[in-house]
Amino acid sequence: MTRVKLLSLLLIIAGALAISACAVVSKQASLPSWHPEQLGEGRPDCTECHEEQIKAVGKPSQTFKHTTEFVRQHRLYASQDEKVCALCHKFSFCNACHANELEIKPSTFLGNRPDRELPHRGDYLTLHMIDGKADPTSCYRCHGRSNNERCVSCHK
Amino acid sequence: MKTLRLPSALALLLIPALVHAADFEGYGTSIFRLEQKAAPGFDKKTIIPFTQFAGADLDQIADGNLSLHLYGWERVDLGDRSTSEKNSDGDLSYGFLAYRFPKANAEVKGGRFFVNQGVASEQLDGVGARTDLAGGFGVSAFGGAPVKLDRGSNTKGDFIAGGRGSYRYGNLLEVGFSGLHETGGIFDPTTGVKRDRELIGGDLWCGPSRFVEVNGHTYYDMSREGVAEHSYQLLLRPFKTIGVSGLYNQADLVHFYAGSNLRSLFNPDQGGMVRSYGGTVTWYAAAPLELNADYRHIHRSDNFETELNGGSDRFGAEARITALDKKLRSGVSYHRVSGATGFNSYHEGRGYVMYDSGRYIGSLDAIGQIYQTRIYNSKNAFELIASTGMRIMPQLTLSGELSYGQNPRLADDLKGLVRLTFNYVAQGKGAKK
């Protein structure tokens, strides 16, 4: 078992080195590590400044406009273009909702931001009995493997 | 890395990095809560948890491409227990070193971090790397030990590895293929047997014109051999002020739940299927006003709990107003959930208004539900929240909330919260939220 773990570790390191080597010979410049201009409060509209494509991902800036529907379905974008998210969002921004162990529900942690699209507002403890029966897959995405220590106190 | 050892570990990691870092950003939130809960037939309960969240980003270390990122929290209960677990708790959410290459959007990182690539949505202690390749190709990979939950070693496997490869055809199409292997990632408490968790998936983005986009993914569960999930979205932008989206999801619960570590709730052996479809229409009626109407139909079929079978509908509308240079933000919404036979149904309404002058912040928020059938002899629930705050300095904001609610479980639910947020930036950098 130890040999398998060692081999796996070596493979991972070799993979990381190979990826690094690819980057060294590339001519394509990376995206900046953060958005060079200060962004105002509220939802950003990338199209206000960026009219055409975001070259590094080959998608129109309109794709990343933070409409209500974009915010609700952001998982589809984040799993493909995390590097675009990271231009403007610190890791802790994602961590307010997506964590292995979440201490406070997001709508309480950000209780001074009622404009944010956050899950479980109000008395969701009662409501989850209805929503969870209608569509249990929506619970599973966040609580199926992580952040479910408190679920266990009732769902033993 | 739990409880009181966390701050010391964070501080130790920071010291050598600080010496060479050109940019430093430290941030944190202290939250002091006071909650009184009165449930019919039980004594009043007062919980007073204090939680400290703290994080730091150190950029431009060494040759300017190395960075260090840390974030964690600690909680101490000063009154009755705030959870059913213990009086204090803590977690290192992430702590990793990252090296960003100036070319090819390449990055290598090591430590504790969160991976979100294709099929993988995992927290692990390990290494990860990604790069763009020539000809529109891209590749990313990760491996290490999954971060387990507090309640035991069987909640996750011993080793996890995976990655995603992608191909982009011009500005028209991106397809990705991803996979994940977790050794001993599935624990069956009834047999005590551990099996490997294996998932593969394909994802797609297609934008044939600026008016149309399609994106989504299909995941396949290798451990029990079956399609776990289809999830696809169609976006139409016929006019600059109107957006239309359609969404289709399908989950086969035998495979969708295959990796669950909470089988009392998500039991793959019980099978079943959930299909949902729906859409949203967004109209930017005028500069400050956004109107949304949404509809979703969910159909559930279950072999064991047949009373759960049937179709439910969720529909409603929302108006959002952003005015006075985004200082004033307000919204009002109504939604109706019409449950299948045997399910409860409810109406939900919400309204909020917030004002942020730069120095002072204030908001009012109200949400309520009316149930079609009584729950614990109660027909409705509501919560009212008033929030106020002041930026004492550019780096320091003090805010607080007072909320009152009634719901089927609690005759009175009175809560107070004081929040102190700091954000110190040592060098001018752009804008991370």
Side-chain angles (χ1 to χ4, degrees), chain A residues 19, chain B residues 117 129-131 138-142 162-166:
Chain A
I19 286 173
Chain B
Q117 294 167 8
R130 70 152 193 249
T131 187
V139 64
S140 63
F142 64 88
R164 177 176 179 265
S166 63

Side-chain angles (χ1 to χ4, degrees), chain B residues 115-135:
Chain B
V115 171
N116 191 30
Q117 294 167 8
V119 293
S121 183
E122 309 285 333
Q123 189 191 34
L124 71 146
D125 295 326
V127 295
R130 70 152 193 249
T131 187
D132 294 341
L133 303 171

Side-chain angles (χ1 to χ4, degrees), chain A residues 75 98 120 124 131-132 135-148 151, chain B residues 119 121-122 155-156 182 185-186 197 199 219 221 223 228-229 251-268 274:
Chain A
R75 67 191 169 96
H98 302 285
H120 306 348
Y124 200 76
D131 289 352
D135 182 6
T137 61
S138 61
C139 310
Y140 185 83
R141 290 187 200 287
C142 296
H143 300 289
R145 287 184 52 79
S146 300
N147 195 25
N148 56 26
C151 308
Chain B
V119 293
S121 183
E122 309 285 333
T155 54
K156 300 279 179 75
E182 184 180 353
I186 301 172
R197 182 168 76 105
L199 271 175
Y219 295 161
D221 165 33
S223 56
E229 181 189 15
D252 182 338
L253 301 183
V254 172
H255 306 289
F256 190 78
Y257 287 168
S260 174
N261 56 22
L262 185 57
R263 292 167 75 96
S264 56
L265 188 56
F266 306 109
N267 189 347
V274 177

Side-chain angles (χ1 to χ4, degrees), chain B residues 31-282:
Chain B
I31 291 183
F32 182 83
R33 287 175 286 165
L34 177 61
E35 302 181 10
Q36 271 201 337
K37 296 171 185 293
F42 291 89
D43 292 336
K44 267 191 181 177
K45 193 178 171 188
T46 304
I47 62 169
I48 315 168
F50 173 76
T51 312
Q52 179 64 52
F53 299 83
D57 294 315
L58 292 94
D59 292 299
Q60 300 194 37
I61 307 170
D63 68 348
N65 296 314
L66 188 67
S67 60
L68 175 68
H69 309 273
L70 299 160
Y71 191 77
W73 58 267
E74 291 273 354
R75 186 202 71 237
V76 180
D77 283 334
L78 306 173
D80 294 328
R81 277 185 182 180
S82 62
T83 70
S84 58
E85 297 143 36
K86 44 199 167 185
N87 290 325
S88 65
D89 201 0
D91 190 46
L92 174 65
S93 306
Y94 58 80
F96 62 91
L97 274 167
Y99 188 86
R100 290 184 85 256
F101 292 81
K103 298 286 177 63
N105 291 303
E107 184 181 66
V108 178
K109 56 185 167 187
R112 173 171 294 187
F113 57 92
F114 202 85
V115 171
N116 191 30
Q117 294 167 8
V119 293
S121 183
E122 309 285 333
Q123 189 191 34
L124 71 146
D125 295 326
V127 295
R130 70 152 193 249
T131 187
D132 294 341
L133 303 171
F137 289 93
V139 64
S140 63
F142 64 88
V147 180
K148 294 178 168 63
L149 300 174
D150 283 356
R151 67 172 186 276
S153 59
N154 290 328
T155 54
K156 300 279 179 75
D158 301 320
F159 174 77
I160 189 166
R164 177 176 179 265
S166 63
Y167 171 69
R168 176 161 56 86
Y169 180 72
N171 299 327
L172 175 69
L173 178 76
E174 181 178 329
V175 288
F177 179 80
S178 55
L180 174 155
H181 171 92
E182 184 180 353
T183 309
I186 301 172
F187 174 70
D188 186 342
T190 53
T191 59
V193 173
K194 271 188 164 186
R195 289 185 291 117
D196 295 345
R197 182 168 76 105
E198 289 180 325
L199 271 175
I200 57 169
D203 58 79
L204 166 81
W205 177 89
C206 181
S209 87
R210 63 193 178 95
F211 305 113
V212 183
E213 265 182 52
V214 176
N215 59 8
H217 58 241
T218 293
Y219 295 161
Y220 185 86
D221 165 33
M222 300 273 284
S223 56
R224 295 180 78 153
E225 297 186 345
V227 174
E229 181 189 15
H230 298 292
S231 185
Y232 288 89
Q233 182 181 223
L234 169 69
L235 294 157
L236 303 172
R237 302 186 189 97
F239 306 103
K240 199 174 179 184
T241 56
I242 292 182
V244 180
S245 75
L247 193 70
Y248 177 78
N249 290 302
Q250 178 180 312
D252 182 338
L253 301 183
V254 172
H255 306 289
F256 190 78
Y257 287 168
S260 174
N261 56 22
L262 185 57
R263 292 167 75 96
S264 56
L265 188 56
F266 306 109
N267 189 347
D269 299 329
Q270 291 197 347
M273 181 81 82
V274 177
R275 287 192 182 93
S276 68
Y277 58 83
T280 303
V281 178
T282 303

